[in-house]
């Protein structure tokens, strides 16, 4: 005759649940902060966050327009620093979100501008903005994303180890009843 045993948990102490929820929220915030840091690193390293490929180079006209505005450099997504500095983590209803200024979405996904620069006087490198009748696209420079690979990265795995340890500590605070 087989021996059978069973048991059930009839309660979950509120203090234990509160501690577990606190640790889940902490982990969510840490993961969001890491994701924001990785978005900034993508810009720093000039690499697509998902594929790891290099960003498309700036057009000569964009570099010339930057110079005319007193902005040096030819790296994509790095001009005034507004985009880079706008990457932040904010709390929301479900946890935390990584946000960026609105035009960051266009840079991330690529877009077709209404007007494009056309040289009006090549000797002075001046440009006029004309309608974009040929639908010339500004290429995507994917700096802002949470790809599946994010969860396989060493940095995230270290966060996860800390979370698992802290969650284990919270669980160990619960009352243990042995069933014989």
């Amino acid at each position: 005759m087989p021996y059978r045993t069973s048991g059930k948990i009839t309660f979950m102490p509120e203090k234990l649940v509160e501690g577990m929820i606190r640790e889940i929220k902490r982990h969510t915030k840490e993961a969001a902060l890491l994701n924001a840091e990785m978005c900034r690193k993508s810009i720093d390293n000039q690499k697509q966050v998902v594929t790891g490929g290099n960003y498309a180079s700036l057009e000569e006209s964009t570099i010339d327009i930057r110079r005319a505005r007193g902005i040096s450099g030819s790296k994509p997504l790095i001009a005034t620093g507004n985009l880079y500095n706008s990457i932040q983590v904010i709390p929301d209803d479900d946890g935390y979100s990584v946000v960026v200024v609105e035009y960051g979405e266009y840079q991330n996904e690529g877009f077709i501008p209404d007007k494009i620069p056309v040289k009006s006087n090549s000797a002075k490198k001046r440009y006029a903005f004309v309608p974009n009748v040929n639908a010339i696209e500004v290429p995507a420079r994917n700096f802002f994303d949470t790809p599946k690979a994010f969860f396989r990265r060493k940095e995230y795995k270290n966060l996860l180890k800390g979370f698992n340890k802290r969650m284990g500590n919270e669980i160990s605070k619960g009352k243990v009843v042995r069933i014989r």
Side-chain angles (χ1 to χ4, degrees), residues 52-170:
N54 294 330
Y55 291 158
S57 300
L58 293 179
E59 294 291 328
E60 181 184 337
S61 60
T62 303
I63 295 169
D64 290 342
I65 291 167
R66 279 187 178 185
R67 282 190 197 125
R69 293 178 177 166
I71 300 169
S72 62
S74 60
K75 289 184 177 182
L77 305 179
I78 300 176
T80 64
N82 290 340
L83 176 69
Y84 188 90
N85 294 327
S86 76
I87 300 170
Q88 57 185 305
V89 174
I90 60 167
D92 62 22
D93 294 339
D94 297 328
Y96 293 88
S97 294
V98 181
V99 296
V100 67
V101 291
E102 185 178 348
Y103 69 84
E105 178 183 348
Y106 301 113
Q107 293 294 335
N108 193 61
E109 304 296 326
F111 65 101
I112 298 172
D114 293 333
K115 294 186 176 186
I116 57 170
V118 175
K119 281 187 180 180
S120 61
N121 183 341
S122 61
K124 295 182 180 180
K125 290 194 176 185
R126 292 192 180 192
Y127 292 84
F129 285 87
V130 299
N132 187 1
V133 293
N134 294 327
I136 296 170
E137 187 174 354
V138 173
R141 294 184 174 95
N142 188 254
F143 70 96
F144 189 83
D145 205 349
T146 309
K148 289 179 184 177
F150 171 82
F151 301 100
R152 293 190 299 266
R153 292 187 59 94
K154 175 181 67 172
E155 297 94 331
Y156 179 76
K157 287 183 178 183
N158 288 338
L159 281 183
L160 193 56
K161 282 180 188 177
F163 169 72
N164 288 335
K165 183 177 179 180
R166 291 189 311 271
M167 190 61 86
N169 289 340
E170 289 300 322

